[in-house]
Amino acid sequence: MNDPEIRTLLYPLLQGGVYVDELPTGTTRADVVHITEQFMHGYELKGDADTLQRVAKQLPCYGRAYDFVTFVVTAKHLPKLLPQLPEWVGVLVASSEGLLAHRPALYNATVERPAVAALLRLEEIKQFLLAQGLPGVSTYRRRDVLNFLRTTQLVSLSALAHHVRRQLMGRMEERLAFRAERKAERQRVAARRRKRPKRK
């Protein structure tokens, strides 16, 4: 199985909220992230043609940012993958028959504020911090903001994560609305062209 085939099996399972493909996460990209008001669940897909070379780099990035993490892999990867994963990381096995749960994802207790905040644009992070009564951050660069979040006790992880989830969900809804608008416009243009009388 390849990546598109695995995505086709995964998407119907992601109920509620939105899902985002290829979301930049730390120094890597999460293949699929399911975002709801309550949690963010990162999914990494490994098809038959993929290797596991990047797992050691991907896992810490996901572990710092997402409430749940699941690897969706074909059976050939299980023997080498499982020893690399903490017990809280879920595993789904993809085959032509569908997705089989090898083990469920458990709540991740290693999430960190800078990694969660880094999923947003700088101005979106600043808006949140200013709303928390922290005007000093208005002139900070991205690196300064993330360093502040790493050390401060003034910002709760739960409040920050809630803001990040809301922003990402809203951004996706805007994209979907924009795509629908563009599609409707293309259909209107095509309809007008069909109605034009043909020149003889």
Side-chain angles (χ1 to χ4, degrees):
M1 297 200 75
N2 58 30
D3 185 286
E5 291 170 330
I6 295 175
R7 288 175 190 267
T8 299
L9 296 174
L10 177 63
Y11 291 154
L13 302 182
L14 310 181
Q15 299 296 311
V18 301
Y19 60 83
V20 182
D21 291 314
E22 307 299 331
L23 183 62
T25 307
T27 57
T28 187
R29 286 176 179 268
D31 285 328
V32 181
V33 181
H34 182 204
I35 306 167
T36 74
E37 290 274 358
Q38 291 76 35
F39 63 81
M40 290 190 286
H41 193 151
Y43 291 86
E44 178 61 30
L45 315 183
K46 301 292 185 187
D48 286 324
D50 294 321
T51 72
L52 301 180
Q53 292 178 352
R54 296 169 56 226
V55 170
K57 175 183 176 183
Q58 293 164 330
L59 190 56
C61 293
Y62 301 164
R64 287 190 283 266
Y66 300 129
D67 304 293
F68 300 94
V69 176
T70 294
F71 276 69
V72 189
V73 302
T74 53
K76 64 171 277 188
H77 292 302
L78 282 180
K80 290 186 178 180
L81 176 65
L82 291 176
Q84 299 185 56
L85 302 181
E87 287 296 319
W88 57 266
V89 176
V91 179
L92 293 174
V93 181
S95 72
S96 58
E97 298 175 1
L99 293 180
L100 177 67
H102 181 80
R103 72 185 192 202
L106 304 178
Y107 179 73
N108 169 25
T110 66
V111 174
E112 298 176 4
R113 285 171 299 195
V116 174
L119 298 172
L120 296 183
R121 305 179 185 108
L122 176 58
E123 288 309 312
E124 292 173 313
I125 309 171
K126 285 185 178 181
Q127 286 171 9
F128 168 76
L129 295 175
L130 291 172
Q132 301 295 302
L134 300 166
V137 304
S138 59
T139 59
Y140 281 11
R141 293 171 296 177
R142 188 174 185 84
R143 180 181 61 191
D144 300 325
V145 168
L146 298 182
N147 282 337
F148 170 76
L149 287 171
R150 188 171 290 111
T151 58
T152 187
Q153 300 300 316
L154 301 175
V155 179
S156 78
L157 174 59
S158 61
L160 174 63
H162 180 71
H163 174 74
V164 171
R165 294 193 295 264
R166 292 289 299 273
Q167 290 294 120
L168 291 175
M169 289 175 68
R171 192 186 302 171
M172 193 62 190
E173 289 165 1
E174 288 172 11
R175 287 178 186 168
L176 292 174
F178 179 71
R179 287 178 196 166
E181 187 179 314
R182 290 280 300 275
K183 182 179 180 181
E185 178 59 26
R186 287 195 299 270
Q187 290 171 339
R188 286 193 292 268
V189 170
R192 285 198 297 267
R193 287 176 179 164
R194 285 193 297 270
K195 289 180 181 178
R196 287 177 186 169
K198 292 182 180 180
R199 293 180 181 177
K200 294 183 178 179

